[in-house]
Amino acid sequence: MITKKQVEAFGSIETPFYFYDMDLLRQTLDLYTEQIGKYGYNAHYAMKANANDRILETIKGYGLGADCVSGNEVKLAVKAGFDPGKIVYAGVGKSDKEIRAALRAGIFSFNCESVPEIRIINDLAGAMGRKARISIRVNPDIDAHTHKYISTGLKENKFGISPWAFQDVKDLLSQCPHVELIGLHFHIGSQITEMPVFALMCRRIEELQQWFIEHDVPIANLNLGGGLGINYQDPAGDPVAHFEEYFDIIHRNLVVRPGQQVHFEPGRALVGQCGHLISRVLYVKVGREKKFAILDAGMNDLIRPALYQAWHDIVNLSSTGRKLRYDVVGPVCESSDCWGMKRLVNTCRRGDLMDIRSAGAYGQVMAMRYNQRDLAKAVYSDDLK
Ligand code: LLP
C-alpha cells in the first residue's frame, strides 16, 4: 500500500512516473526463495518483465539466475552481476550475433525452439571452439486459459518444438558434437490463475519425458518456465502471488527422477505488484452520458490495457470524495488509450494523483515514445524514506 508520506513526496515529482515499493518486492522474494529452498528448486528471473537496474540488483541479491530472450538481455544480466552459469536463454529467433555473445558469456542453457536453431548453435559453437549446453523447449500443446496473446504452449503457437519432431532432434544431436543436451524446457503462457493448469502441465511433462527415457536420452534438467499469475483485481488485499499453492501443486504432480534438477522462470509473480504507475488528472471532461478523467499517463507508458484488454486497478490517491464513475483515459491519440471504462473512483479533480496498480511487470519495460512522449522515470520507495 502507498503510505500518506509517500503520497506527500509524490507531490513534488513530475508525473507520470513508475513507483516501486521495494519492501513489497523484498517480501515477495523472501517468500519465493523460501518456497524454492523448501523443494530444492532453481529459479531464473524472467528479466523481460522488468529490467530496471535496482530491481535486477535486488533479485540478484536473492541468488536467482536470469531468464533472457535476447542477446541484449544476456548482456544486461551479465553486467548486472548475474552468474552466467545461471542464465538461460530462450526465443524463437536468436540471431548469429546473439548466439555468439551468449556462447562467449558461457550461459547455462540455450532453450532451443526449433530443429534448425540447434544446428546453427552447434556450428557457431564449433567455430568458436566451444560446447553449448542446450535444452529443448517443448511445445506441449496445453491450453493455459489465459489471454491469447500471452498463450505460448498450444500447437498453433510459434514457440517450442513439437513432440513429433523429437526423433529429428535426436538424429540431429548425433551429428552435433558441439552441443550437449541438458534438459527440457516448458513455458505455456503468462498470467495463469487456474492452478489445475500447472498440474496438467506436470503430467504432460512426464508423458513427454517418457519418449526420452525410452530412447535412452538422459534429461538432467526440467525447466517449467514462468506463468504464475497475480491478482490484478485486488492488489491491496492479495499483494503476493500464491507461491505456496503453486509449488505444492508442482511438487505433488511433477515426477522428478534421481539427480534431476528442476528450474523455474518467474517474471510477473515477482515484480508485478510492487510497481505503480503514478499519474495526474489533467482534465475532467463532463459529457452528457459520461465523465472522462483524462490522465497524463498513456498507453505509451503502460501498454497492457491497449494490447491485451488488461484490467488494472485505478485509485485516486488525492481524494476521499464520493465515488463516481469515470472513463479513465490517457492523452495519446488512440481510442485504445483507455485505462478503464466506467470505473468507480473517488471524485477526480485536476491535479489529483492517480495510481494505476500492478504495473511492475511488463510495464516500464514495454514503454515507448509514441507521439514523441517522454519515457516515465522510476522512483523507488527506498529513496523516499
Ligand atoms: N519464460 C519464458 C520463456 C517466457 O516467455 C516468459 C514470458 C516467462 C518465462 C515469464 O513469464 P511470467 O512468469 O512473467 O508469466 N507482456 C505480456 C506478458 C508476456 C510474457 C512473455 N513471456 C503481459 O504484459 O501480460
Side-chain angles (χ1 to χ4, degrees):
M1 270 309 269
I2 289 181
T3 63
K4 262 194 173 156
K5 242 179 107 183
Q6 286 166 339
V7 176
E8 270 169 37
F10 291 171
S12 57
I13 304 174
E14 189 185 343
T15 50
F17 62 89
Y18 275 91
F19 174 70
Y20 294 102
D21 177 346
M22 299 304 277
D23 289 328
L24 179 58
L25 176 62
R26 287 185 286 264
Q27 194 190 323
T28 307
L29 286 161
D30 283 341
L31 187 66
Y32 188 83
T33 47
E34 180 200 306
Q35 286 294 306
I36 58 169
K38 176 173 163 192
Y39 298 109
Y41 295 153
N42 307 280
H44 312 262
Y45 168 56
M47 63 189 285
K48 65 179 82 64
N50 187 314
N52 283 17
D53 51 358
R54 299 273 288 271
I55 304 274
L56 293 181
E57 188 189 327
T58 305
I59 294 176
K60 185 201 69 185
Y62 279 78
L64 270 63
D67 162 40
C68 304
V69 283
S70 73
N72 284 346
E73 280 196 356
V74 172
K75 257 193 231 162
L76 183 58
V78 172
K79 188 167 155 229
F82 283 91
D83 176 357
K86 289 186 185 172
I87 295 179
V88 292
Y89 176 19
V92 294
K94 303 177 184 80
S95 72
D96 295 14
K97 184 177 159 193
E98 291 178 307
I99 292 169
R100 280 198 202 97
L103 283 167
R104 263 193 302 277
I107 64 167
F108 175 64
S109 178
F110 287 87
N111 293 336
C112 295
E113 310 234 10
S114 66
V115 177
E117 180 192 328
I118 298 174
R119 184 182 286 284
I120 295 299
I121 292 178
N122 176 71
D123 295 351
L124 295 173
M128 290 169 69
R130 307 221 174 195
K131 191 150 189 165
R133 283 177 294 272
I134 67 159
S135 302
I136 300 168
R137 176 168 181 179
V138 180
N139 183 320
D141 195 22
I142 290 179
D143 188 349
H145 294 275
T146 184
H147 190 277
K148 67 175 190 279
Y149 286 0
I150 52 176
S151 231
T152 51
L154 285 168
K155 64 174 184 282
E156 65 258 33
N157 296 132
K158 68 179 175 181
F159 300 97
I161 296 177
S162 292
W164 54 259
F166 286 170
Q167 186 61 49
D168 296 344
V169 172
K170 185 171 189 268
D171 295 344
L172 178 63
L173 285 175
S174 66
Q175 306 156 26
C176 289
H178 310 295
V179 299
E180 179 194 358
L181 180 69
I182 62 159
L184 299 180
H185 172 235
F186 302 83
H187 173 76
I188 59 170
S190 197
Q191 186 50 20
I192 299 171
T193 51
E194 292 177 24
M195 291 294 185
V197 166
F198 294 111
L200 183 73
M201 178 170 90
C202 290
R203 290 196 290 273
R204 187 89 178 106
I205 289 174
E206 177 52 21
E207 257 171 57
L208 293 162
Q209 230 197 134
Q210 283 303 330
W211 189 94
F212 294 88
I213 292 167
E214 280 161 21
H215 291 77
D216 273 335
V217 182
I219 297 297
N221 294 279
L222 293 175
N223 182 338
L224 276 62
L228 176 61
I230 59 170
N231 192 337
Y232 282 94
Q233 260 64 38
D234 185 17
D238 190 14
V240 180
H242 299 182
F243 300 129
E244 284 183 0
E245 192 187 348
Y246 172 72
F247 286 116
D248 179 59
I249 286 195
I250 303 276
H251 176 69
R252 283 190 290 111
N253 290 279
L254 184 71
V255 180
V256 183
R257 299 192 158 65
Q260 251 179 356
Q261 290 285 320
V262 180
H263 302 252
F264 293 89
E265 299 169 342
R268 186 188 323 260
L270 296 184
V271 296
Q273 298 291 28
C274 75
H276 302 248
L277 177 58
I278 307 293
S279 166
R280 275 197 174 80
V281 177
L282 288 173
Y283 303 102
V284 176
K285 181 156 100 171
V286 181
R288 287 219 170 112
E289 276 116 44
K290 50 165 81 172
K291 283 186 273 302
F292 292 98
I294 303 168
L295 311 190
D296 63 5
M299 63 188 280
N300 66 297
D301 299 303
L302 174 67
I303 202 173
R304 303 194 68 260
L307 193 56
Y308 317 112
Q309 298 80 47
W311 197 97
H312 284 256
D313 193 24
I314 304 169
V315 179
N316 186 337
L317 297 172
S318 309
S319 165
T320 48
R322 192 158 71 88
K323 288 208 170 182
L324 299 174
R325 284 206 190 271
Y326 297 89
D327 278 10
V328 184
V329 300
V332 173
C333 300
E334 299 276 344
S335 292
S336 58
D337 184 26
C338 176
W339 294 112
M341 311 270 268
K342 296 193 191 129
R343 289 296 185 90
L344 254 190
V345 183
N346 291 100
T347 310
C348 291
R349 293 209 172 73
R350 176 173 167 83
D352 283 356
L353 285 162
M354 303 291 276
D355 179 8
I356 298 166
R357 304 206 49 161
S358 315
Y362 309 107
Q364 202 178 357
V365 83
M366 292 178 80
M368 58 170 163
R369 293 212 47 213
Y370 183 42
N371 287 188
Q372 296 307 308
R373 292 173 51 79
D374 291 327
L375 289 176
K377 302 240 162 36
V379 173
Y380 300 92
S381 61
D382 288 349
D383 297 342
L384 299 185
K385 278 178 182 160

